[in-house]
């Protein structure tokens, strides 16, 4: 059996155990895929702290949805979840304008009138 199918079989077993709220299975999946998920997020954001936070959120979501979500391919699931977390974070950041920036723009606008 090659490494890829062995890993897939191991993942399926761990995912079955995860669905039964097995914390050891969760920790094993976390340890196995944390770095890959973090790197996926970091390459998009280039922010260490935010990448760590979003990585934690991805795995927290995995835990919270463990009973209702059927996962066939965990690396693909984590990739898509991480990507969507980044998009969601970026869209929230686009809506957020720091108060300093607003005040600076207001001062510039007053000087022009």
């Amino acid at each position: 059996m090659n490494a890829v199918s062995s890993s897939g079989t191991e993942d399926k077993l761990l995912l079955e155990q995860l669905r039964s709220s097995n914390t050891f299975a969760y920790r094993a999946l976390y340890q196995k895929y944390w770095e890959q998920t973090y790197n996926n997020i970091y390459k998009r954001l280039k922010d260490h702290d935010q990448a760590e936070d979003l990585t934690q959120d991805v795995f927290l979501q995995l835990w919270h949805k463990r009973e209702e979500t059927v996962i066939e391919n965990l690396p693909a699931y984590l990739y898509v979840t991480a990507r969507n977390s980044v998009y969601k974070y970026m869209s929230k950041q686009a809506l957020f304008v720091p108060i300093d920036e607003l005040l600076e723009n207001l001062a510039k606008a007053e000087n022009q009138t």
Side-chain angles (χ1 to χ4, degrees):
M1 189 182 294
N2 63 28
V4 173
S5 64
S6 173
S7 179
T9 303
E10 178 186 333
D11 286 356
K12 286 184 183 205
L13 178 61
L14 289 170
L15 286 167
E16 286 175 18
Q17 293 172 352
L18 178 69
R19 288 190 76 157
S20 301
S21 299
N22 183 321
T23 57
F24 295 109
Y26 176 76
R27 282 189 212 132
L29 291 170
Y30 180 87
Q31 289 174 350
K32 184 175 181 180
Y33 289 106
W34 185 90
E35 186 174 0
Q36 179 181 340
T37 303
Y38 167 83
N39 288 335
N40 181 22
I41 293 171
Y42 182 80
K43 75 178 181 184
R44 297 173 194 286
L45 294 179
K46 304 291 190 240
D47 181 330
H48 172 72
D49 292 332
Q50 194 57 49
E52 279 188 347
D53 288 348
L54 289 180
T55 302
Q56 296 296 336
D57 290 345
V58 167
F59 281 95
L60 189 60
Q61 183 177 341
L62 177 66
W63 177 256
H64 285 301
K65 294 185 174 186
R66 69 188 177 279
E67 294 174 354
E68 65 216 34
T69 305
V70 177
I71 301 170
E72 295 295 325
N73 182 341
L74 184 61
Y77 173 85
L78 292 173
Y79 177 85
V80 170
T81 303
R83 182 194 64 199
N84 291 344
S85 294
V86 169
Y87 290 158
K88 189 174 183 180
Y89 170 77
M90 291 173 116
S91 70
K92 283 182 182 178
Q93 292 304 307
L95 296 177
F96 174 75
V97 179
I99 190 72
D100 308 4
E101 192 176 312
L102 286 175
L103 293 173
E104 186 177 314
N105 289 340
L106 182 61
K108 286 179 184 177
E110 285 180 4
N111 291 337
Q112 290 178 359
T113 55

